[in-house]
Amino acid sequence: QVQLVESGGGLVQLGGSLRLSCAASGIIISIDDMEWYRQAPGKERDLVATITRGGRTNYADSVKGRFTISRDNAKDTVYLQMNSLKPEDTAVYYCKAMIWRDNRVFAYWGQGTQVTVSS
């Protein structure tokens, strides 16, 4: 059984910072792309950032220059450093990983962590 466990969410003031972590555990051959999504109340789940196994990154326009995605392949962990936070960043943040098991790749999701930015 593979699990993604997220941590690091919380309440922060306008302009503050948070660092999210998402660690994969279980029987894993390797992990391809790792991503962060977010979902605000009443809205769809949107892609925030992507990082390939080789470290190539991509960001949503709304977070470019403020958020940084990184990963530690030895620890099967992905991070999201969030700086200059705004109230519109308030959402539940989910990690997603494309994980190879039994010679097939599967998409796994974390349980979500709440990020609230107060003004």
Side-chain angles (χ1 to χ4, degrees):
Q1 186 77 1
V2 172
Q3 283 189 317
L4 297 182
V5 179
E6 301 161 3
S7 60
L11 174 64
V12 64
Q13 289 188 333
L14 173 67
S17 298
L18 283 174
R19 188 191 194 210
L20 305 182
S21 299
C22 172
S25 64
I27 300 174
I28 297 170
I29 297 174
S30 67
I31 303 177
D32 286 349
D33 290 359
M34 302 185 83
E35 298 176 320
W36 287 97
Y37 286 74
R38 66 185 181 186
Q39 187 168 21
K43 295 189 176 181
E44 295 185 351
R45 189 174 298 188
D46 293 326
L47 178 62
V48 174
T50 301
I51 185 166
T52 67
R53 182 168 181 80
R56 189 169 66 250
T57 61
N58 195 36
Y59 297 93
D61 288 343
S62 59
V63 306
K64 281 181 181 177
R66 300 188 298 122
F67 290 11
T68 302
I69 189 171
S70 61
R71 65 190 284 172
D72 184 333
N73 290 332
K75 296 182 179 179
D76 291 334
T77 299
V78 62
Y79 307 95
L80 186 68
Q81 177 66 43
M82 305 185 293
N83 299 328
S84 302
L85 283 162
K86 306 174 182 179
E88 51 262 45
D89 295 318
T90 295
V92 178
Y93 284 70
Y94 299 89
C95 65
K96 176 186 173 185
M98 302 304 295
I99 298 177
W100 283 90
R101 298 181 58 213
D102 302 326
N103 294 320
R104 293 177 58 191
V105 63
F106 298 87
Y108 288 91
W109 290 86
Q111 80 284 1
T113 185
Q114 177 70 46
V115 171
T116 302
V117 184
S118 66
S119 56

